[in-house]
Amino acid sequence: MHGAVSIQTFGKCAQREQLFYPFLVIAFCMSMILLLVWIETSNEYHGFDWVVYLITRYWFFWSLLLLSLFGILAAYSSLLLVLGFLLIWEGSELYLHWCHKILIVLVIGICTFFMTVLFKFWNDRWLTLGLSLKIFAPYIHLSSITVMVLLSWPVAFYLVHWEQEAVQVAVGLPFLLILFCLFVVPLGIYSPCLQEKDELGPKPGLFGHRGAPMLGPENTMMSFEKAVENGAFGLESDIYVSCDGVPFLMHDYDLRRTTNIQEIMPNASNTTSHLFYWDFLSTLNAGRWFLQSQLKPFYNMEPLSEADREKARNQKIPKLTDLLELAQKERKFVIFDLNNPPIKHPFRNTFVQRVVRVILDSKIEQHLIYWLPGNYRTYVKSKAPGFQQVGRLNPIEVLTRENISIINVDYKRLFHNGLRDYKAANISINLYIVNEPWLFSLAWCSRIHSVTTDNVQLLRQIHVPYYLMTPGYYMFMWLLLDIVSAIFIVAIFYFHWWRESQKEKDLESISSYTDVESIRLKRGKSEKGEALNVSLEPPSQVRAGPQMPAAPSPGLTGSKKKDSEPRPVQETTKPPMPTDDFIQRMPPKEAFEPTQAPTYEANTEATIQPAVPDSK
């Protein structure tokens, strides 16, 4: 009955409320998808903040702001959806205040806007969601079966109570189809982390992206030294060439964010880094910004010790030769991006030659250099044949023709077949930028050679890939959970069917008992009515007017007094009204009055007289 009441209640709701409830469901789904995508793209938070900084010229954790916004939208729509479901469950009419209706429309609008932006300008971020499904697929599968077991309770409840067969099919059939797909989906699941431990490849090497930017100011010697201390496989940086031909390390197009140029030369803060002389660049402070909370590059940075704070406070812009000296000393590989100077720059056409000459003059072992820039590759091969040439994601035929055995690839390209064709061609792969442990674990399980990371201090602590599971263990969990969940779901459906059948039996017994009692009551009423008709017949002395009643004995004179006293009225069942036959048999009122009064008085006198002695 409860389910029927709930359905009837939803049917009685205003048509406007019924039409708006699907909008609430749409808002819930869109907000949850957007929140899931943004959580899974946490690896890109720093890059997103940097892009917004280039637009607004103001550094802030915009990624966390959006994460909070999407979380609020998802929580709000989820709460309204649950409350609406509970109202229908309890049989109350669904009514959503106009304020909530406006907010739900606003939620749909916000989610639509950000999804459009993601599809149009950041389309590859959806690949990150696909990569997360690759590694989390076995766990999502097992969790989904558990959720279906929980959902089977309300589904079974409503299927038992709903009387329309069409509705039962519309609800029960999708539920069973989804359940069946979950039972057999492992047959089509591919996850790189489903493998035996002895088949696991070596741990990927770690290139410190701009050093260790969570432990020291990026692209400073302190940052590179911290990366070396944390076991970095190599060091990654970005190279600019000054007006006087000195290669130096800098990531941004200008010096505004990572130096104190706004204090020294505010008008030149937006000028490209290429257009300064080294004498001026060497005077700038490149570490003080790192200690300011409003300019902190990463939200999950550990607090610095007092010694590290003092060291960071005194950092300068390093030259390329400083980095090469450290790499040669620590036997670390070096990979870098080379930024082209502007058109009017003195070394516009010879900057590559200048950089190669500086590298060769540093006496670093050539095989420690990963040469990434694609321009002037022929010249570089002729001048420095020991450099390891690193390519992009070009066709394998092109890489083979250019004798390139290493490629530097965006981690999202791992989504396409796990780059298996390149690994089969014995081409080493370096992924950038990999900061999250789950993503590093996926790269490890996919036999990636190395990764570039901002989070070298955390990834170095991972000794076994996260979410690694052997196929045998996963199959055991799959079959066990399928059997247990099937038993639970069948038991839940049987319980609801058994309880409903018991209710129907109880109702039938109560209705039959009620019918029997009603028949008995009717018979009792008819018998009482007949008995009342008989008892209401007039007494014989009333009909016999001349006859006098017997005089009461002298000892009963007190009873008359008692009879004359008023008696309390007791509530009784109202007797049936006299029938027409009874009324016809009743004598007229005048027939009683002349006979009863004299007779009673004469009888009284006759009774009293013998009791008085004669005076004579």
Side-chain angles (χ1 to χ4, degrees):
M1 294 297 294
H2 189 84
V5 171
S6 302
I7 300 165
Q8 293 174 1
T9 303
F10 185 75
K12 291 179 181 178
C13 293
Q15 186 177 6
R16 179 177 55 188
E17 301 295 336
Q18 295 184 20
L19 292 176
F20 207 85
Y21 199 76
F23 281 91
L24 179 57
V25 176
I26 293 173
F28 167 76
C29 295
M30 294 182 69
S31 60
M32 290 300 295
I33 292 174
L34 194 59
L35 178 62
L36 177 62
V37 171
W38 201 250
I39 290 175
E40 295 302 325
T41 57
S42 59
N43 191 78
E44 302 286 335
Y45 283 176
H46 179 73
F48 176 81
D49 295 337
W50 184 73
V51 171
V52 178
Y53 165 77
L54 295 179
I55 299 172
T56 62
R57 308 303 292 177
Y58 179 75
W59 182 263
F60 187 71
F61 293 133
W62 303 101
S63 54
L64 294 185
L65 180 64
L66 289 182
L67 179 64
S68 302
L69 174 63
F70 298 154
I72 291 172
L73 297 181
Y76 172 72
S77 57
S78 302
L79 181 61
L80 285 184
L81 186 67
V82 171
L83 290 177
F85 177 77
L86 292 177
L87 284 175
I88 297 175
W89 179 276
E90 293 298 326
S92 302
E93 291 190 10
L94 183 64
Y95 175 75
L96 199 62
H97 195 269
W98 63 269
C99 292
H100 293 298
K101 293 177 181 177
I102 294 175
L103 290 176
I104 286 300
V105 174
L106 187 62
V107 169
I108 295 177
I110 293 174
C111 293
T112 303
F113 170 76
F114 281 103
M115 284 187 174
T116 303
V117 171
L118 286 177
F119 274 112
K120 191 172 183 180
F121 301 104
W122 226 1
N123 193 28
D124 56 353
R125 294 303 180 269
W126 295 99
L127 298 179
T128 305
L129 181 61
L131 288 175
S132 68
L133 292 178
K134 277 192 173 184
I135 194 169
F136 295 122
Y139 300 89
I140 294 175
H141 164 242
L142 299 178
S143 302
S144 299
I145 294 179
T146 305
V147 172
M148 293 300 290
V149 173
L150 298 177
L151 288 177
S152 64
W153 184 274
V155 170
F157 178 85
Y158 280 107
L159 286 180
V160 169
H161 289 82
W162 267 326
E163 298 180 356
Q164 296 89 347
E165 292 184 359
V167 178
Q168 290 178 338
V169 172
V171 174
L173 185 60
F175 177 82
L176 294 178
L177 288 177
I178 294 174
L179 187 63
F180 174 77
C181 292
L182 289 176
F183 281 167
V184 300
V185 74
L187 299 176
I189 281 183
Y190 167 74
S191 175
C193 288
L194 280 179
Q195 59 178 294
E196 301 293 341
K197 291 184 179 181
D198 54 358
E199 298 177 358
L200 189 65
K203 180 179 179 178
L206 302 176
F207 273 96
H209 186 232
R210 308 173 203 170
M214 293 187 182
L215 304 178
E218 64 181 55
N219 279 325
T220 63
M221 295 311 298
M222 176 184 176
S223 180
F224 292 116
E225 290 169 359
K226 289 291 185 181
V228 172
E229 291 176 7
N230 284 274
F233 170 79
L235 305 173
E236 187 275 344
S237 186
D238 308 272
I239 298 178
Y240 283 79
V241 178
S242 66
C243 277
D244 51 351
V246 177
F248 63 96
L249 309 182
M250 181 62 58
H251 174 265
D252 292 6
Y253 177 79
D254 54 45
L255 306 170
R256 179 188 180 103
R257 182 175 67 92
T258 58
T259 70
N260 62 337
I261 192 171
Q262 293 191 80
E263 301 174 3
I264 298 176
M265 194 180 294
N267 295 333
S269 60
N270 294 324
T271 304
T272 178
S273 304
H274 286 288
L275 300 181
F276 294 96
Y277 290 93
W278 176 248
D279 290 341
F280 173 75
L281 294 171
S282 62
T283 63
L284 296 177
N285 184 286
R288 201 177 302 155
W289 68 274
F290 189 74
L291 304 178
Q292 301 178 24
S293 58
Q294 68 272 19
L295 295 177
K296 188 170 65 171
F298 298 92
Y299 68 92
N300 54 347
M301 288 171 51
E302 295 291 336
L304 298 179
S305 64
E306 190 58 36
D308 286 341
R309 291 179 64 87
E310 185 62 27
K311 187 175 182 179
R313 192 176 290 113
N314 298 316
Q315 291 299 302
K316 301 291 184 178
I317 298 176
K319 295 187 293 185
L320 174 59
T321 54
D322 298 330
L323 176 61
L324 296 175
E325 182 181 350
L326 177 64
Q328 175 64 30
K329 178 183 176 181
E330 301 292 342
R331 309 284 297 175
K332 299 298 181 183
F333 295 96
V334 176
I335 186 172
F336 52 82
D337 285 312
L338 187 57
N339 295 278
N340 298 340
I343 295 177
K344 296 182 180 181
H345 194 277
F347 293 89
R348 164 71 177 179
N349 299 320
T350 59
F351 71 97
V352 174
Q353 293 85 337
R354 180 61 180 169
V355 171
V356 171
R357 174 50 52 194
V358 170
I359 295 175
L360 294 177
D361 291 344
S362 68
K363 305 301 180 182
I364 189 174
E365 299 179 33
Q366 291 189 14
H367 75 278
L368 296 178
I369 300 299
Y370 276 33
W371 184 265
L372 182 59
N375 45 2
Y376 298 96
R377 194 179 292 275
T378 304
Y379 168 80
V380 174
K381 287 182 179 180
S382 63
K383 292 296 181 179
F387 289 0
Q388 299 194 56
Q389 298 295 322
V390 181
R392 305 288 182 176
L393 194 63
N394 296 321
I396 297 178
E397 296 78 9
V398 175
L399 298 176
T400 304
R401 185 170 60 249
E402 296 183 0
N403 196 23
I404 295 176
S405 59
I406 304 172
I407 57 175
N408 191 48
V409 183
D410 187 349
Y411 76 90
K412 291 180 284 295
R413 299 301 177 183
L414 192 63
F415 179 79
H416 302 288
N417 297 324
L419 302 174
R420 276 178 278 179
D421 296 338
Y422 294 89
K423 289 181 286 187
N426 293 323
I427 295 176
S428 300
I429 302 171
N430 180 71
L431 298 181
Y432 67 92
I433 305 292
V434 176
N435 292 332
E436 294 297 320
W438 71 265
L439 192 55
F440 177 73
S441 300
L442 180 63
W444 189 348
C445 294
S446 301
R447 293 179 171 270
I448 298 300
H449 181 258
S450 60
V451 300
T452 302
T453 178
D454 297 313
N455 209 359
V456 61
Q457 72 280 358
L458 176 61
L459 299 188
R460 70 180 293 264
Q461 301 176 14
I462 299 177
H463 303 293
V464 178
Y466 290 2
Y467 313 107
L468 180 66
M469 187 185 300
T470 61
Y473 179 75
Y474 177 54
M475 180 173 292
F476 169 75
M477 291 298 299
W478 164 37
L479 296 177
L480 177 64
L481 197 58
D482 280 3
I483 295 173
V484 173
S485 61
I487 293 174
F488 268 97
I489 291 174
V490 171
I492 289 172
F493 272 81
Y494 176 78
F495 170 75
H496 283 286
W497 172 83
W498 172 80
R499 189 171 65 174
E500 185 64 18
S501 61
Q502 288 295 116
K503 288 182 179 179
E504 292 178 357
K505 290 180 180 179
D506 294 341
L507 289 175
E508 290 177 359
S509 61
I510 292 173
S511 60
S512 61
Y513 177 78
T514 306
D515 294 340
V516 171
E517 290 297 321
S518 61
I519 294 173
R520 290 179 179 178
L521 288 174
K522 289 179 181 179
R523 290 179 179 177
K525 288 181 180 180
S526 61
E527 292 175 358
K528 288 182 180 179
E530 293 176 359
L532 184 61
N533 290 339
V534 174
S535 63
L536 289 178
E537 289 291 335
S540 58
Q541 64 268 23
V542 174
R543 289 180 300 184
Q547 294 182 0
M548 303 298 293
S553 62
L556 297 178
T557 54
S559 64
K560 178 181 178 182
K561 182 178 179 181
K562 292 181 182 179
D563 293 338
S564 63
E565 293 178 359
R567 298 180 180 178
V569 180
Q570 298 180 355
E571 289 185 9
T572 57
T573 304
K574 185 176 180 181
M577 296 299 294
T579 59
D580 294 339
D581 182 63
F582 173 77
I583 295 173
Q584 292 177 1
R585 292 199 304 265
M586 285 286 292
K589 184 177 180 181
E590 294 79 2
F592 292 99
E593 292 180 352
T595 56
Q596 284 182 338
T599 304
Y600 180 76
E601 293 175 358
N603 189 24
T604 304
E605 292 177 357
T607 307
I608 296 174
Q609 283 179 359
V612 178
D614 191 2
S615 59
K616 296 179 180 180

